Amino acid sequence: MDLVFRDGAEADMTDGGTTQRRPGSAHIFLMRCLLASACVAIAAVLLLGMYLNSSQAPVLVSRILTDYLRQPVRVTALRTNGVTISLIGVTLGNPPDVTPGNLCRMDVLTIAPDWGNMLTGRRSLRLLSCTGLVIDLRRNRSGVWNFSQ
């Protein structure tokens, strides 16, 4: 048995209990969930921007690139400008069997992803720019170039 009150609320009297449902309560709940999700997303973007401009981000990026390339990589700073990320002071070390030094050095490496394609699963960049690129080509004792390893 359902009861309807003057203010439009309904009471469900089945199983001996009473629960009140207001009209549109599901709509209000969904709107609150959507608002909370938007707040969390905005906070995540702001925190990510703050982290990328911190002193810890270049250390983490250097470690990730070193593991990926299997050669020593060092990034001295990161800067963000909208969706563009700039890696400042990037150095790529020589392979272990070549004389110590850097294979290449860049003053600034600027990357801007193409988010439309990235969100669909395609790796795509809108911008990739290098400034101050210096490449030092050397051979090891076997005559193999440092860039071919």
Side-chain angles (χ1 to χ4, degrees):
M1 177 168 103
D2 290 336
L3 297 175
V4 179
F5 297 100
R6 284 186 203 168
D7 63 354
E10 297 178 4
D12 187 6
M13 300 292 290
T14 57
D15 298 333
T18 62
T19 56
Q20 289 192 355
R21 290 181 287 158
R22 299 232 179 254
S25 61
H27 176 70
I28 292 171
F29 176 74
L30 289 175
M31 290 302 290
R32 287 181 181 168
C33 287
L34 182 63
L35 180 63
S37 298
C39 289
V40 167
I42 290 170
V45 167
L46 291 174
L47 289 174
L48 179 64
M50 289 172 46
Y51 178 74
L52 287 177
N53 288 315
S54 74
S55 62
Q56 295 299 318
V59 175
L60 179 63
V61 170
S62 297
R63 192 175 329 139
I64 290 170
L65 289 174
T66 297
D67 291 343
Y68 183 75
L69 297 173
R70 295 188 183 115
Q71 282 184 242
V73 177
R74 184 168 182 264
V75 178
T76 56
L78 259 85
R79 296 291 174 254
T80 59
N81 184 9
V83 296
T84 304
I85 300 171
S86 297
L87 284 72
I88 300 168
V90 180
T91 57
L92 175 63
N94 277 325
D97 61 341
V98 179
T99 58
N102 293 323
L103 170 62
C104 73
R105 182 186 67 215
M106 289 172 261
D107 292 337
V108 180
L109 174 65
T110 305
I111 303 166
D114 183 0
W115 288 109
N117 285 334
M118 296 278 273
L119 293 174
T120 60
R122 288 179 257 149
R123 294 180 183 176
S124 177
L125 297 177
R126 185 176 49 83
L127 171 71
L128 179 63
S129 169
C130 299
T131 58
L133 177 64
V134 176
I135 299 174
D136 184 18
L137 301 177
R138 296 180 184 241
R139 292 182 186 221
N140 65 7
R141 291 188 176 144
S142 306
V144 178
W145 290 99
N146 58 354
F147 67 89
S148 63
Q149 301 175 3

